[in-house]
Amino acid sequence: MKVKQSMVGLVPYQPGKPIEEVKRELGLEEVVKLASNENPYGYSPKVRQVIQESLEDLAIYPDGYARELREKVSRKLGVKETELLFGNGSDEVILILCRSILSKGDNIVTATPTFPQYRHNAVIEGALVKEVPLVNGVHDLDRMLEAIDENTKIVFVCNPNNPTGTYVSEKEFLDFLKQVPEHLLVVSDEAYYEYVSTDDYPETIPLLKDYPNLMILRTFSKAYGLAALRVGYGVANEELIKAIDPGREPFNTNTLAQRAAVEALADQEFVQTCFEKNRTEMARFEKFCEEFGYDYYPSQANFILMDLKKPGGEVFQKLLAKGFITRNGEALGFPSSVRITLGTEEQNQRIINVLSKLE
Ligand SMILES: *Cc1c(COP(=O)(O)O)cnc(C)c1O
């Protein structure tokens, strides 16, 4: 039995190490995972009750159209309900986009390093990936424009970018959008939107009316703290949504996820608190880097990529031995760095304490 040619050589997504596995392997009592940009403060307390109530309904298929969530998100964003596509995480929206749009001979343009799922899904569809190196950790939109050719179908802009946390400004993004040929799709992946604190970050939703070739991706996995439930969405022109919707599985977002997301969305106070704590904790890491002379990328997300001037794998192992799961920069395209998701104050103080004694 052979898989299709485009699958050959692909490896499954390499997630951050699971907590239980590390506890078992290293015989540690307490292990903190700061590897996958999850919310260290959990999720809105309002979610718990709706999950418990929903346990009554597990025998029934979910609402494939996610009607209530759709209504709430459309109202919150000020877009039409028909301008939304929900996915089993925004990962799935990327998959749906790629399977609906890309064929052999097409290509996509992305930055590198960036979020790996753009490449992964495009490759499965037989498309080529044109990768444009970041400059000082930031998307080089001019070079990305130059990389576009007649076979380009999608350009992915990860903003803020994972794994650097850097962002493209409103002006840069608009200049770019104006120059991109209309027949290709620009995807603005805003998984960390809620964490952004800078004023010149692009508000992309109002751009939708002028740019029918723009799609915005958001998720409930990060600031809303619902990563385990898998719900994210795309926002775009309704013709585009209608055209790609058949590429979606009938019941791709589940009942618990939809109801939890409705509650989570309503609790903006929780999101605001997480945002504020994240900024405070970011300042702690920046101060540490400055004190110790380590380079880092200024991050608008809930993680920081720090160059600790040692092989990333070595630092990763040392942190692991102390009960901290982080991301080895070697696997992310930054060999002497680690990417650390910001934890709680107490977790951050502890990991910084370990980092300050690195040998
Ligand atoms: C985490 C992340 C996602 C995926 O989020 P899900 O909604 O959990 O699938 C998408 N894009 C980027 C850049 C991310 O970091």
Side-chain angles (χ1 to χ4, degrees), residues 51 54 58 60-64 66 69 87-88 228-231 251-261:
I51 291 285
S54 298
L58 294 190
I60 308 297
Y61 276 111
D63 169 9
L69 179 59
N88 190 25
L229 290 176
R230 315 302 302 123
V231 56
F251 304 108
N252 62 333
T253 57
N254 68 77
T255 305
L256 302 191
Q258 292 177 23
R259 292 188 190 160

Side-chain angles (χ1 to χ4, degrees), residues 76-94:
K76 171 97 172 65
L77 300 181
V79 301
K80 289 193 249 174
E81 292 181 18
T82 47
E83 291 174 317
L84 295 168
L85 177 84
F86 289 91
N88 190 25
S90 50
D91 275 349
E92 196 205 8
V93 183
I94 298 168

Side-chain angles (χ1 to χ4, degrees), residues 47 69 220 224 226 229 231 256-266:
V47 166
L69 179 59
F220 286 94
Y224 288 98
L226 299 178
L229 290 176
V231 56
L256 302 191
Q258 292 177 23
R259 292 188 190 160
V262 166
E263 293 305 314
L265 189 70

Side-chain angles (χ1 to χ4, degrees), residues 33-290:
K33 185 169 173 231
L34 302 174
S36 303
N37 308 335
E38 293 135 334
N39 191 331
Y41 312 106
Y43 50 85
S44 162
K46 301 195 167 103
V47 166
R48 189 174 298 270
Q49 193 183 347
V50 79
I51 291 285
Q52 263 153 9
E53 288 165 10
S54 298
L55 296 179
E56 299 304 315
D57 301 326
L58 294 190
I60 308 297
Y61 276 111
D63 169 9
Y65 192 66
R67 201 167 304 272
E68 191 187 358
L69 179 59
R70 183 178 297 272
E71 189 189 311
K72 296 285 157 58
V73 172
S74 91
R75 207 174 303 160
K76 171 97 172 65
L77 300 181
V79 301
K80 289 193 249 174
E81 292 181 18
T82 47
E83 291 174 317
L84 295 168
L85 177 84
F86 289 91
N88 190 25
S90 50
D91 275 349
E92 196 205 8
V93 183
I94 298 168
L95 180 151
I96 295 168
L97 279 175
C98 289
R99 80 185 282 196
S100 317
I101 295 176
L102 301 175
S103 306
K104 199 165 188 289
D106 294 336
N107 69 63
I108 67 164
V109 173
T110 72
T112 185
T114 191
F115 190 56
Q117 290 309 297
Y118 318 137
R119 155 177 272 283
H120 188 85
N121 286 290
V123 167
I124 290 176
E125 300 309 325
L128 290 172
V129 183
K130 297 179 121 187
E131 296 179 313
V132 178
L134 300 172
V135 172
N136 298 323
V138 183
H139 279 63
D140 186 347
L141 293 179
D142 291 337
R143 292 291 96 71
M144 286 175 74
L145 266 179
E146 285 170 15
I148 291 171
D149 63 31
E150 69 276 12
N151 296 321
T152 305
K153 293 286 163 63
I154 312 176
V155 182
F156 285 96
V157 179
C158 186
N159 197 20
N161 188 45
N162 183 359
T164 50
T166 51
Y167 74 104
V168 165
S169 74
E170 175 144 43
K171 182 179 180 312
E172 289 162 337
F173 189 70
L174 255 181
D175 284 350
F176 173 75
L177 210 50
K178 281 179 190 153
Q179 294 176 73
V180 172
E182 278 168 33
H183 66 272
L184 60 93
L185 182 67
V186 175
V187 176
S188 178
D189 184 348
E190 305 179 356
Y192 301 95
Y193 174 82
E194 295 79 10
Y195 287 115
V196 171
S197 65
T198 178
D199 288 339
D200 62 346
Y201 177 81
E203 270 308 339
T204 46
I205 299 288
L207 300 176
L208 289 169
K209 65 177 185 327
D210 294 324
Y211 295 94
N213 61 334
L214 172 65
M215 173 172 272
I216 298 151
L217 301 182
R218 302 259 175 97
T219 181
F220 286 94
S221 298
K222 305 284 160 62
Y224 288 98
L226 299 178
L229 290 176
R230 315 302 302 123
V231 56
Y233 57 91
V235 198
N237 170 280
E238 70 185 333
E239 263 96 81
L240 174 64
I241 297 287
K242 201 169 152 196
I244 62 177
D245 198 35
R248 178 177 69 77
E249 282 179 62
F251 304 108
N252 62 333
T253 57
N254 68 77
T255 305
L256 302 191
Q258 292 177 23
R259 292 188 190 160
V262 166
E263 293 305 314
L265 189 70
D267 192 353
Q268 287 298 314
E269 209 179 305
F270 174 79
V271 178
Q272 180 63 23
T273 309
C274 295
F275 164 82
E276 282 160 19
K277 287 183 187 162
N278 186 64
R279 287 324 303 172
T280 307
E281 295 307 308
M282 190 64 79
R284 188 187 307 281
F285 279 92
E286 290 171 348
K287 182 162 162 273
F288 160 76
C289 287
E290 275 147 30

